[in-house]
Amino acid sequence: LKKGLEIEILIDHMKYPNIGVGYIDGNKEEKKIVIKNTIRGQYVKAKITKNRSNKTEARLLEVIEKSSIEKDSFCEHYGNCGGCALQTLSDKNQAQLKLEMIQELFKSNGLLVVPEKIIDSPKVFEYRNKMEYSFGDEFIGGPLTLGMHKKNRHNDVVNIPNCHLIDEDFRNIMTAVLNYFTVEKAPKYNKRSGEGFLRHLVVRKGLKTGEIMVALSATTQWSLNKRSFVEMLNKLNLKGVLTSILYVHNDGLGDMVSGEIECLQGSETIRENLFDLTFDIPLYAFFQTNTLGAEHLYRSALEMIPNIGGKICFDLFSGTGTIGQIMAKKAKRVIGIEIVADAVEMAIKNAQINEIDNCEFLCGDVYTVLNTITDKPDVIVVDPPRMGIGEKAVKKIATYGVDEIVYISCNPKTLVDDLKTFETCGYTCEKVLLVDMFPWTGHVETVVKLQRRNP
Ligand SMILES: C[S@@+](CC[C@H](N)C(=O)[O-])C[C@H]1O[C@@H](n2cnc3c(N)ncnc32)[C@H](O)[C@@H]1O
């Protein structure tokens, strides 16, 4: 198994995220070979890239034989676009494969309770309410493109005019914006030199309300004809309503949407509904990208803590206050903590719109804010970003000694690390389930009920 050797191997099982594991000649006594972006049951050709004492890694060269659980992909962009990794499976099989991978992850981390099921997304197509596209090119010096990064090539951007994860309005807006700037000969931004104009396009749509936000993230190095850009968007034949057109003055060095917002038309937020609640969402606030899936996610999470009546609940990492406001219907009081000021401002406003008066939302880092407040919770819900909570904040949360904690996670890897810390602090995972919020991709939301062990 020298580096550079080419092998043919059957993928025996999967590890999270989308890593196939095989054995030379199928012999499980032999060392494991791990190969990214493969699927259980595939027979593949791969090249050894690393051979260490504990594991051997190989790079996929070719799928010689498809797995019996595979079929043809349904999207013309599959293979080129880096968006969907599990598109050659049926909707049921891609969800099942994620369940298997997370079960394996829990077991290999010594966690005794593993996810018992995966709840399907109500929609498997056109389910996304937000897309963040990049401007770029598919090859150096190529024409302007607007879409997703190419698979395994982060500097190349491919057009995805017929992506199935978003609805027709998203597709029309993306195509029209690309055509507009191609005709206008607007320069794309060059990450290395820091020169150019076009960086990203964010489109957000309330799938329940039809309200649409279009945010152009670009530098101030080119003179945007704001009137003609807005006119072009307004002429589109959209099913939803253009509520918000924004120009983000993005002169920063980081490859992210950030900078001062100039509102070119409408308001700086769009509205979306979850259950019977209303949420106004600004550009910079997190909101679950699968609206209908989010209702399943939050329902599943709150079913794990049915007895919150009359209790004080903490909603940590609260975003625009979604979970807190759903809990507020039963709970005595809810305190949300969130680091993004725009999101906190909107959570407070959303609570007013929803006529909820037993919620408050505090701005700041969870660990720091918890150290400054004197309120004591009876129940805690945490929904951190991909980096997880981290040891220091987990220990702080555990010091409250509440009986029940619900942990919602979009990153199973940081989740298991945090769960191991919770276990050392006297908590046991009682129930774990998955919600397939991102069909066809390798991503998934995990919900865990933690119960305090008797002292
Ligand atoms: C996965 S989102 C969850 C938001 C919300 N619970 C929801 O469901 O819409 C994670 C949130 O944590 C916030 N966040 C990230 N780091 C934080 C920190 N150190 N302290 C407080 N909030 C943080 C992010 O801004 C984001 O809104």
Side-chain angles (χ1 to χ4, degrees):
L1 296 180
K2 265 197 195 148
K3 193 172 162 184
L5 180 75
E6 288 187 11
I7 53 165
E8 290 184 5
I9 194 164
L10 178 71
I11 303 300
D12 178 81
H13 63 273
M14 309 277 300
K15 273 162 71 83
Y16 181 83
N18 296 336
I19 299 171
V21 180
Y23 304 89
I24 293 292
D25 298 328
N27 181 359
K28 293 194 179 176
E29 304 298 310
E30 291 281 336
K31 210 196 298 184
K32 284 177 184 174
I33 316 272
V34 297
I35 311 168
K36 276 188 194 160
N37 298 322
T38 52
I39 286 173
R40 165 167 63 74
Q42 283 179 337
Y43 191 67
V44 301
K45 187 186 234 186
K47 195 181 213 168
I48 304 290
T49 49
K50 261 186 210 160
N51 189 15
R52 300 231 173 92
S53 56
N54 55 347
K55 79 170 173 193
T56 301
E57 286 176 31
R59 181 165 53 83
L60 176 68
L61 295 176
E62 182 193 342
V63 177
I64 299 169
E65 234 176 81
K66 277 187 174 178
S67 162
S68 62
I69 57 171
E70 279 185 289
K71 56 179 185 54
D72 289 335
S73 79
F74 53 80
C75 177
E76 67 193 75
H77 310 304
Y78 177 73
N80 203 20
C81 164
C84 298
L86 302 176
Q87 225 190 62
T88 58
L89 302 169
S90 67
D91 54 347
K92 293 282 171 227
N93 281 340
Q94 60 89 32
Q96 186 58 32
L97 206 65
K98 286 189 247 196
L99 178 61
E100 282 174 33
M101 288 191 277
I102 311 297
Q103 285 173 334
E104 196 277 342
L105 181 73
F106 271 63
K107 281 184 201 152
S108 62
N109 275 277
L111 293 163
L112 299 178
V113 176
V114 300
E116 52 194 58
K117 62 174 178 181
I118 180 160
I119 296 172
D120 292 334
S121 173
K123 284 175 95 175
V124 293
F125 298 117
E126 303 190 348
Y127 61 83
R128 285 189 67 95
N129 60 29
K130 181 187 178 192
M131 284 301 271
E132 193 172 310
Y133 303 109
S134 298
F135 286 96
D137 49 30
E138 203 173 333
F139 50 89
I140 295 172
L144 180 70
T145 53
L146 172 62
M148 302 293 285
H149 291 284
K150 207 171 183 171
K151 196 171 183 182
N152 303 326
R153 298 191 67 123
H154 199 72
N155 286 329
D156 303 341
V157 174
V158 287
N159 291 326
I160 47 164
N162 295 316
C163 171
H164 294 260
L165 303 192
I166 31 101
D167 76 16
E168 208 180 320
D169 283 350
F170 283 80
R171 294 192 286 264
N172 284 342
I173 292 167
M174 180 183 54
T175 305
V177 170
L178 175 62
N179 289 343
Y180 176 83
F181 285 117
T182 304
V183 171
E184 293 291 315
K185 296 192 171 51
K188 57 192 163 247
Y189 178 75
N190 182 320
K191 281 184 232 168
R192 284 209 189 97
S193 66
E195 285 170 7
F197 175 64
L198 297 167
R199 303 187 72 170
H200 320 92
L201 181 79
V202 181
V203 183
R204 222 168 194 173
K205 179 177 178 185
L207 296 192
K208 300 262 195 93
T209 61
E211 293 195 4
I212 298 172
M213 172 187 286
V214 176
L216 174 72
S217 149
T219 65
T220 52
Q221 297 175 37
W222 189 76
S223 175
L224 172 70
N225 185 335
K226 296 170 194 169
R227 193 144 56 109
S228 97
F229 179 65
V230 167
E231 254 171 37
M232 176 276 295
L233 288 171
N234 282 317
K235 275 191 198 144
L236 295 176
N237 186 12
L238 302 174
K239 292 206 172 98
V241 189
L242 263 178
T243 317
S244 167
I245 303 179
L246 311 174
Y247 169 20
V248 181
H249 297 207
N250 190 352
D251 287 310
L253 292 178
D255 188 22
M256 57 172 85
V257 179
S258 72
E260 192 192 318
I261 295 173
E262 181 185 354
C263 187
L264 303 181
Q265 179 180 295
S267 75
E268 289 199 15
T269 58
I270 56 155
R271 189 160 275 197
E272 180 62 309
N273 299 127
L274 284 176
F275 303 112
D276 55 350
L277 296 173
T278 297
F279 294 94
D280 280 352
I281 315 162
L283 177 67
Y284 290 140
F286 174 91
F287 194 84
Q288 281 290 351
T289 52
N290 177 344
T291 303
L292 302 177
E295 292 184 336
H296 284 242
L297 177 71
Y298 298 146
R299 188 181 295 118
S300 311
L302 298 183
E303 275 171 5
M304 291 183 175
I305 38 172
N307 302 317
I308 57 170
K311 293 187 175 166
I312 298 177
C313 303
F314 276 8
D315 172 13
L316 304 183
F317 308 92
S318 49
T320 50
T322 44
I323 299 171
Q325 291 179 54
I326 300 167
M327 287 197 288
K329 295 207 152 185
K330 273 167 102 184
K332 180 177 165 198
R333 236 179 107 212
V334 176
I335 297 172
I337 303 178
E338 161 64 44
I339 204 162
V340 173
D342 280 7
V344 175
E345 195 186 310
M346 220 34 77
I348 294 168
K349 194 175 148 222
N350 287 334
Q352 283 163 2
I353 296 171
N354 292 317
E355 297 179 352
I356 292 171
D357 58 9
N358 57 342
C359 268
E360 59 187 286
F361 294 97
L362 309 173
C363 188
D365 163 60
V366 158
Y367 178 78
T368 314
V369 175
L370 288 179
N371 273 328
T372 58
I373 57 176
T374 50
D375 306 82
K376 297 278 177 264
D378 301 305
V379 176
I380 299 177
V381 176
V382 293
D383 184 11
R386 290 191 67 73
M387 71 180 91
I389 305 176
E391 192 176 331
K392 196 170 70 163
V394 167
K395 286 185 170 162
K396 173 72 197 168
I397 292 166
T399 58
Y400 288 107
V402 299
D403 285 337
E404 297 173 314
I405 297 175
V406 172
Y407 190 143
I408 303 173
S409 162
C410 57
N411 185 348
K413 286 208 153 185
T414 52
L415 169 69
V416 292
D417 291 339
D418 286 341
L419 291 180
K420 287 191 277 187
T421 311
F422 271 119
E423 296 241 352
T424 62
C425 297
Y427 284 87
T428 302
C429 297
E430 204 179 69
K431 188 174 172 150
V432 187
L433 54 82
L434 307 181
V435 184
D436 192 14
M437 297 281 286
F438 318 99
W440 314 113
T441 77
H443 299 284
V444 69
E445 291 277 331
T446 310
V447 187
V448 182
K449 159 87 184 290
L450 287 153
Q451 184 75 40
R452 192 163 73 101
R453 289 190 293 273
N454 285 332

